[in-house]
Amino acid sequence: MTNSAQRHRVVVIGGGFGGLAAIQRLKGADVDITVIDRRNHHLFQPLLYQVATTALSPSEIAWPIRMLVKHRPEVTTLLGNVTGIDKATQLVELEDGGRVPYDSLIIATGARHAYFGHDDWEPFAPGLKTLEDATAMRRRLLLAFEAAERETDPDKRKSLLTFAIIGAGPTGVELAGAVIELARTSLRHEFRSIKPEEARVVLIEAGPRVLANFRENLSGYAKSALEKLGVEVMLGQPVTEVTTDTVRFDGQELRANTIIWAAGVLASPAARWLGVEADRAGRIKVEPDLTVPGSPNIFAIGDTVTVLAPNGKPVPGIGDAAKQGGKYAASVIRARLAGQTVGPFRYKHLGDIATVGKSAALIDFGWLQLTGWIGWWTWGLAHIYFLIGLKNRISVAISWLWIYLTGHRSARLITWGEAGSGKK
């Protein structure tokens, strides 16, 4: 920008919940903002599993970052992959050799899958963090039924119709409910050689209960709701091995051609870029004002960091926490430019929500707990409210209503990526 020498330069790495919240809070400040992301879109991750299970299309939960900031002339959007940060010269280094200067830096790079030292499992048990992950998972799910339709060997067919999900946090629970409904409702009557409703969905969890972050009574409700749908829930079963079509746990061997990982996350390489201390998950141990130790002009937020909430527990890695962190970092920058100060970051937990299939959900706002279909409608309204744009809110609402009334999922398209191009 032509006036970058006079105005404070803020660089935001990551266009997710935290990054966009920071940009929004900086509106009207005397700053120039550069947002850098390796993808051109902002993604509403809480509904990513619905793309993977054919309930929604990718365009219903993702929006081009440039479109979101087009009316903000002080914001420049760059498509690039960050590979390092030079703190001495205050430059963000990009994979293509580009370098972006900053006066203040906000790192909101999120997290990726964590396999707890077993990265060799990833090709067999992919996770769900990006649109590419979701469309690839959708392809694997649908191809399993297509392959089973043509398979004559009973054991191989059984393996093709067995879906193993590792990890019973919100993603695992929501995936399990959606996959079993895809098989037993949406695909019912569409095949001739197989009965999709006979598919097995097995949810494997190392801990003693599903949704460990919820109250125990709600966790128990979620387990019962899953089992009512037909999901087999295996608790206290740490996975010891994953291969192409096998999951081993507690001496058992489960043959499943489709294995999904939902057991853990690992922070981005931000700590390595900065050469600072991180926890076992790679999250930066930030100061109370979310700045990186020794670098008061560098903020890190969301899944990139570990910080304690007022109750002494770590702030959870959820979208709302990232938003609060982004708003706070932007407020600190604004205050500094005005010669003022703000107190330490204080996270306010608004509640926990999760859904189990199309007619049950869990809502825990502390002062209010809801389950069943009332919880499901509350969950749906909450998610629709946080979507961007009237068109997307209407589109998602209509899709959910149609699925609720008919069970039909319209996004059941098998698409091929680069590796699959040319297949017939």
Side-chain angles (χ1 to χ4, degrees), residues 238-292:
V239 171
T240 56
E241 186 178 2
V242 179
T243 64
T244 305
D245 59 358
T246 304
V247 180
R248 294 185 176 87
F249 55 95
D250 193 34
Q252 301 182 58
E253 181 177 288
L254 176 68
R255 296 292 302 276
N257 271 58
T258 304
I259 305 169
I260 299 171
W261 187 264
V265 295
L266 183 69
S268 72
R272 177 164 50 81
W273 298 341
L274 297 165
V276 296
E277 184 181 3
D279 66 7
R280 293 178 61 185
R283 295 171 296 200
I284 300 171
K285 298 180 179 180
V286 292
E287 302 289 357
D289 62 356
L290 301 186
T291 58
V292 173

Coordinates of all heavy atoms in Angstrom, one line a residue, residues 238-292:
P238 N -7.9 -47.9 23.7 CA -6.9 -47.2 22.9 C -6.4 -48.0 21.7 O -6.2 -49.2 21.8 CB -5.7 -47.0 23.9 CG -5.9 -48.1 24.9 CD -7.4 -48.3 25.0
V239 N -6.3 -47.4 20.6 CA -5.9 -48.0 19.3 C -4.4 -48.3 19.3 O -3.6 -47.4 19.7 CB -6.3 -47.2 18.1 CG1 -5.7 -47.8 16.8 CG2 -7.8 -47.1 18.0
T240 N -4.0 -49.5 18.9 CA -2.6 -49.9 18.9 C -2.0 -50.0 17.6 O -0.8 -49.9 17.4 CB -2.4 -51.2 19.7 OG1 -3.2 -52.2 19.1 CG2 -2.8 -51.1 21.2
E241 N -2.9 -50.2 16.5 CA -2.4 -50.3 15.2 C -3.5 -50.0 14.2 O -4.6 -50.3 14.4 CB -1.8 -51.7 14.9 CG -1.2 -51.9 13.6 CD -0.6 -53.3 13.4 OE1 -0.8 -54.1 14.3 OE2 0.0 -53.5 12.3
V242 N -3.1 -49.3 13.1 CA -4.0 -49.0 12.0 C -3.3 -49.4 10.7 O -2.1 -49.0 10.4 CB -4.4 -47.6 11.9 CG1 -5.3 -47.3 10.8 CG2 -5.1 -47.1 13.2
T243 N -4.0 -50.2 9.9 CA -3.4 -50.6 8.6 C -4.4 -50.2 7.5 O -5.4 -49.5 7.8 CB -3.1 -52.1 8.5 OG1 -4.3 -52.8 8.6 CG2 -2.1 -52.5 9.6
T244 N -4.2 -50.6 6.3 CA -5.1 -50.3 5.2 C -6.6 -50.6 5.5 O -7.4 -49.8 5.2 CB -4.7 -51.0 3.9 OG1 -3.3 -50.8 3.6 CG2 -5.5 -50.6 2.7
D245 N -6.8 -51.8 6.1 CA -8.2 -52.2 6.3 C -8.4 -52.8 7.7 O -9.4 -53.6 7.9 CB -8.7 -53.1 5.2 CG -7.8 -54.4 5.2 OD1 -6.8 -54.5 6.0 OD2 -8.1 -55.3 4.4
T246 N -7.6 -52.4 8.6 CA -7.7 -53.0 9.9 C -7.4 -52.0 11.1 O -6.4 -51.2 10.9 CB -6.7 -54.2 10.1 OG1 -6.9 -55.2 9.0 CG2 -6.8 -54.9 11.4
V247 N -8.2 -52.1 12.1 CA -7.9 -51.4 13.3 C -7.7 -52.4 14.5 O -8.6 -53.2 14.7 CB -9.0 -50.4 13.7 CG1 -8.7 -49.6 14.9 CG2 -9.3 -49.4 12.5
R248 N -6.6 -52.2 15.2 CA -6.4 -53.1 16.4 C -6.5 -52.3 17.7 O -5.9 -51.3 17.8 CB -5.1 -53.8 16.2 CG -5.0 -54.8 15.1 CD -3.7 -55.6 15.0 NE -3.8 -56.6 13.9 CZ -3.4 -56.4 12.7 NH1 -3.0 -55.2 12.4 NH2 -3.5 -57.3 11.8
F249 N -7.2 -52.9 18.6 CA -7.4 -52.2 19.9 C -7.7 -53.2 21.0 O -8.5 -54.1 20.7 CB -8.4 -51.1 19.9 CG -9.8 -51.6 19.4 CD1 -10.8 -52.0 20.3 CD2 -10.0 -51.6 18.0 CE1 -12.0 -52.4 19.8 CE2 -11.3 -52.1 17.6 CZ -12.3 -52.5 18.5
D250 N -7.0 -53.2 22.1 CA -7.3 -54.1 23.2 C -7.4 -55.5 22.8 O -8.3 -56.3 23.2 CB -8.6 -53.7 23.9 CG -8.8 -54.4 25.3 OD1 -7.8 -54.6 25.9 OD2 -10.0 -54.7 25.6
G251 N -6.5 -55.9 22.0 CA -6.4 -57.3 21.6 C -7.4 -57.7 20.5 O -7.4 -58.8 20.0
Q252 N -8.3 -56.8 20.1 CA -9.3 -57.0 19.1 C -8.8 -56.5 17.7 O -7.9 -55.7 17.6 CB -10.6 -56.3 19.5 CG -11.2 -56.7 20.8 CD -12.5 -56.0 21.0 OE1 -13.5 -56.1 20.2 NE2 -12.6 -55.3 22.1
E253 N -9.4 -57.1 16.7 CA -9.0 -56.7 15.3 C -10.3 -56.4 14.6 O -11.2 -57.3 14.5 CB -8.2 -57.8 14.6 CG -7.9 -57.4 13.2 CD -7.0 -58.5 12.5 OE1 -5.8 -58.6 12.9 OE2 -7.5 -59.2 11.7
L254 N -10.5 -55.2 14.1 CA -11.7 -54.8 13.4 C -11.3 -54.6 11.9 O -10.5 -53.8 11.6 CB -12.3 -53.6 14.0 CG -13.5 -53.0 13.2 CD1 -14.7 -53.9 13.4 CD2 -13.8 -51.6 13.7
R255 N -12.0 -55.4 11.0 CA -11.7 -55.2 9.6 C -12.7 -54.1 9.1 O -13.9 -54.2 9.1 CB -12.0 -56.5 8.8 CG -11.0 -57.6 9.2 CD -9.6 -57.3 8.8 NE -9.5 -57.1 7.3 CZ -9.4 -58.0 6.4 NH1 -9.4 -59.3 6.8 NH2 -9.4 -57.7 5.1
A256 N -12.1 -53.0 8.6 CA -12.9 -51.9 8.1 C -12.1 -51.2 6.9 O -11.0 -50.8 7.1 CB -13.2 -50.9 9.2
N257 N -12.7 -51.2 5.8 CA -12.1 -50.5 4.6 C -12.1 -49.0 4.7 O -11.3 -48.4 4.1 CB -12.7 -51.0 3.3 CG -12.2 -52.2 2.8 OD1 -12.2 -53.3 3.4 ND2 -11.6 -52.2 1.6
T258 N -12.9 -48.5 5.5 CA -13.0 -47.0 5.7 C -12.7 -46.7 7.2 O -13.5 -47.1 8.1 CB -14.3 -46.4 5.3 OG1 -14.6 -46.8 4.0 CG2 -14.3 -44.9 5.4
I259 N -11.6 -46.0 7.4 CA -11.2 -45.7 8.8 C -11.0 -44.2 8.8 O -10.3 -43.6 8.0 CB -9.8 -46.4 9.2 CG1 -10.0 -47.9 9.0 CG2 -9.5 -46.1 10.6 CD1 -8.7 -48.7 9.1
I260 N -11.6 -43.5 9.8 CA -11.5 -42.1 10.0 C -10.9 -41.7 11.3 O -11.2 -42.3 12.3 CB -13.0 -41.5 9.9 CG1 -13.6 -41.8 8.5 CG2 -12.9 -40.0 10.1 CD1 -15.1 -41.5 8.4
W261 N -10.0 -40.7 11.3 CA -9.3 -40.3 12.5 C -9.9 -39.0 13.0 O -10.0 -38.0 12.4 CB -7.8 -40.0 12.2 CG -7.0 -39.8 13.4 CD1 -6.7 -38.5 13.9 CD2 -6.4 -40.7 14.3 NE1 -5.9 -38.7 15.0 CE2 -5.7 -40.0 15.3 CE3 -6.4 -42.1 14.3 CZ2 -5.0 -40.6 16.3 CZ3 -5.7 -42.8 15.3 CH2 -5.0 -42.0 16.3
A262 N -10.3 -39.1 14.3 CA -10.9 -37.9 15.0 C -10.4 -37.8 16.4 O -11.2 -37.4 17.3 CB -12.5 -38.0 14.9
A263 N -9.2 -38.2 16.6 CA -8.7 -38.5 18.0 C -7.8 -37.3 18.6 O -7.6 -37.3 19.8 CB -8.0 -39.8 18.1
G264 N -7.3 -36.5 17.7 CA -6.5 -35.5 18.3 C -6.0 -34.5 17.3 O -6.1 -34.7 16.1
V265 N -5.4 -33.4 17.8 CA -4.9 -32.3 16.9 C -3.5 -31.9 17.3 O -3.1 -32.1 18.5 CB -5.8 -31.1 16.9 CG1 -7.2 -31.4 16.4 CG2 -5.9 -30.5 18.3
L266 N -2.8 -31.4 16.4 CA -1.4 -30.9 16.6 C -1.3 -29.5 16.0 O -1.8 -29.2 14.9 CB -0.4 -31.8 15.8 CG 1.1 -31.4 16.0 CD1 1.5 -31.7 17.4 CD2 1.9 -32.3 15.0
A267 N -0.8 -28.6 16.8 CA -0.7 -27.2 16.4 C 0.1 -27.0 15.1 O 1.0 -27.9 14.8 CB -0.2 -26.3 17.5
S268 N 0.0 -25.9 14.5 CA 0.8 -25.6 13.3 C 2.2 -25.4 13.7 O 2.5 -25.3 14.9 CB 0.3 -24.3 12.7 OG 0.6 -23.2 13.5
P269 N 3.2 -25.3 12.8 CA 4.6 -25.2 13.1 C 5.0 -23.8 13.7 O 6.2 -23.4 13.7 CB 5.3 -25.5 11.8 CG 4.3 -25.9 10.9 CD 3.0 -25.4 11.3
A270 N 4.0 -23.0 14.1 CA 4.3 -21.6 14.5 C 5.4 -21.5 15.6 O 6.3 -20.6 15.6 CB 3.1 -20.9 15.0
A271 N 5.4 -22.4 16.6 CA 6.4 -22.4 17.6 C 7.8 -22.6 17.0 O 8.8 -22.0 17.5 CB 6.1 -23.5 18.7
R272 N 7.9 -23.5 16.1 CA 9.2 -23.7 15.4 C 9.6 -22.5 14.6 O 10.8 -22.1 14.6 CB 9.1 -24.9 14.5 CG 10.4 -25.2 13.7 CD 10.4 -26.6 13.2 NE 9.1 -27.0 12.5 CZ 8.9 -26.6 11.2 NH1 9.7 -25.9 10.5 NH2 7.7 -27.0 10.6
W273 N 8.7 -21.8 13.9 CA 9.0 -20.6 13.2 C 9.7 -19.6 14.1 O 10.6 -18.9 13.8 CB 7.8 -20.0 12.6 CG 7.1 -20.8 11.6 CD1 7.6 -21.8 10.9 CD2 5.7 -20.6 11.1 NE1 6.6 -22.3 10.0 CE2 5.5 -21.6 10.2 CE3 4.7 -19.7 11.5 CZ2 4.2 -21.7 9.5 CZ3 3.5 -19.8 10.8 CH2 3.2 -20.8 9.9
L274 N 9.1 -19.5 15.4 CA 9.5 -18.4 16.3 C 10.6 -18.9 17.2 O 11.2 -18.0 17.9 CB 8.3 -18.0 17.1 CG 7.2 -17.4 16.3 CD1 5.9 -17.3 17.2 CD2 7.5 -16.0 15.9
G275 N 10.9 -20.2 17.3 CA 11.9 -20.7 18.2 C 11.6 -20.5 19.7 O 12.4 -20.1 20.5
V276 N 10.3 -20.8 20.0 CA 9.8 -20.6 21.4 C 9.3 -21.9 21.9 O 9.1 -22.9 21.2 CB 8.7 -19.5 21.5 CG1 9.3 -18.2 21.1 CG2 7.5 -19.9 20.6
E277 N 9.1 -21.9 23.2 CA 8.6 -23.1 23.9 C 7.2 -23.5 23.5 O 6.4 -22.6 23.4 CB 8.7 -22.9 25.4 CG 8.4 -24.2 26.2 CD 8.5 -23.9 27.7 OE1 8.7 -22.8 28.1 OE2 8.2 -24.9 28.5
A278 N 6.9 -24.8 23.4 CA 5.6 -25.3 23.1 C 5.3 -26.5 23.9 O 6.2 -27.1 24.5 CB 5.5 -25.6 21.6
D279 N 4.0 -26.8 24.1 CA 3.6 -28.0 24.8 C 3.7 -29.2 23.9 O 4.2 -29.2 22.7 CB 2.2 -27.9 25.4 CG 1.1 -27.8 24.4 OD1 1.4 -27.9 23.2 OD2 0.0 -27.5 24.8
R280 N 3.2 -30.4 24.4 CA 3.4 -31.6 23.6 C 2.6 -31.6 22.3 O 3.0 -32.3 21.4 CB 2.9 -32.8 24.5 CG 3.8 -33.1 25.7 CD 3.2 -34.2 26.5 NE 3.1 -35.5 25.7 CZ 2.6 -36.6 26.2 NH1 2.1 -36.6 27.4 NH2 2.6 -37.7 25.4
A281 N 1.6 -30.8 22.2 CA 0.8 -30.7 21.0 C 1.3 -29.6 20.1 O 0.7 -29.3 19.1 CB -0.7 -30.4 21.4
G282 N 2.4 -29.0 20.4 CA 3.0 -28.0 19.6 C 2.5 -26.6 19.8 O 2.8 -25.7 19.0
R283 N 1.6 -26.4 20.8 CA 1.0 -25.1 21.1 C 1.9 -24.2 21.8 O 2.6 -24.6 22.8 CB -0.3 -25.3 21.8 CG -1.4 -26.0 21.0 CD -2.6 -26.4 21.9 NE -2.2 -27.3 22.9 CZ -3.1 -28.1 23.6 NH1 -4.3 -28.0 23.3 NH2 -2.7 -28.8 24.6
I284 N 2.0 -22.9 21.4 CA 2.9 -21.9 22.0 C 2.4 -21.5 23.4 O 1.2 -21.3 23.6 CB 3.0 -20.7 21.2 CG1 3.5 -21.0 19.8 CG2 3.8 -19.6 21.8 CD1 3.4 -19.9 18.8
K285 N 3.3 -21.5 24.4 CA 2.9 -21.0 25.7 C 3.0 -19.5 25.8 O 4.1 -19.0 26.0 CB 3.8 -21.7 26.8 CG 3.7 -23.2 26.8 CD 4.6 -23.8 27.8 CE 4.4 -25.4 27.8 NZ 5.3 -26.0 28.9
V286 N 1.9 -18.8 25.5 CA 1.9 -17.4 25.4 C 1.8 -16.7 26.8 O 1.5 -17.3 27.8 CB 0.7 -16.9 24.5 CG1 1.0 -17.4 23.1 CG2 -0.6 -17.4 25.0
E287 N 2.1 -15.4 26.7 CA 1.9 -14.5 27.9 C 0.4 -14.3 28.2 O -0.4 -14.5 27.3 CB 2.6 -13.2 27.7 CG 4.1 -13.4 27.4 CD 4.9 -13.8 28.6 OE1 4.3 -14.0 29.7 OE2 6.1 -14.0 28.5
P288 N 0.1 -13.7 29.3 CA -1.4 -13.4 29.6 C -2.0 -12.5 28.6 O -3.3 -12.5 28.5 CB -1.3 -12.8 31.0 CG -0.1 -13.4 31.6 CD 0.9 -13.5 30.5
D289 N -1.3 -11.7 27.9 CA -1.8 -10.8 26.9 C -1.8 -11.5 25.5 O -1.9 -10.8 24.4 CB -1.2 -9.5 26.9 CG 0.3 -9.5 26.5 OD1 0.8 -10.7 26.4 OD2 0.9 -8.5 26.4
L290 N -1.6 -12.8 25.4 CA -1.5 -13.6 24.2 C -0.3 -13.2 23.3 O -0.3 -13.6 22.1 CB -2.8 -13.4 23.4 CG -4.1 -13.9 24.1 CD1 -5.3 -13.8 23.1 CD2 -4.0 -15.3 24.6
T291 N 0.7 -12.6 23.8 CA 1.9 -12.3 23.1 C 2.9 -13.4 23.3 O 2.9 -14.2 24.3 CB 2.6 -11.0 23.5 OG1 2.9 -11.0 24.9 CG2 1.7 -9.8 23.2
V292 N 3.8 -13.6 22.3 CA 4.8 -14.6 22.3 C 5.9 -14.2 23.3 O 6.3 -13.0 23.2 CB 5.3 -14.9 20.9 CG1 6.5 -15.8 21.0 CG2 4.2 -15.4 20.0

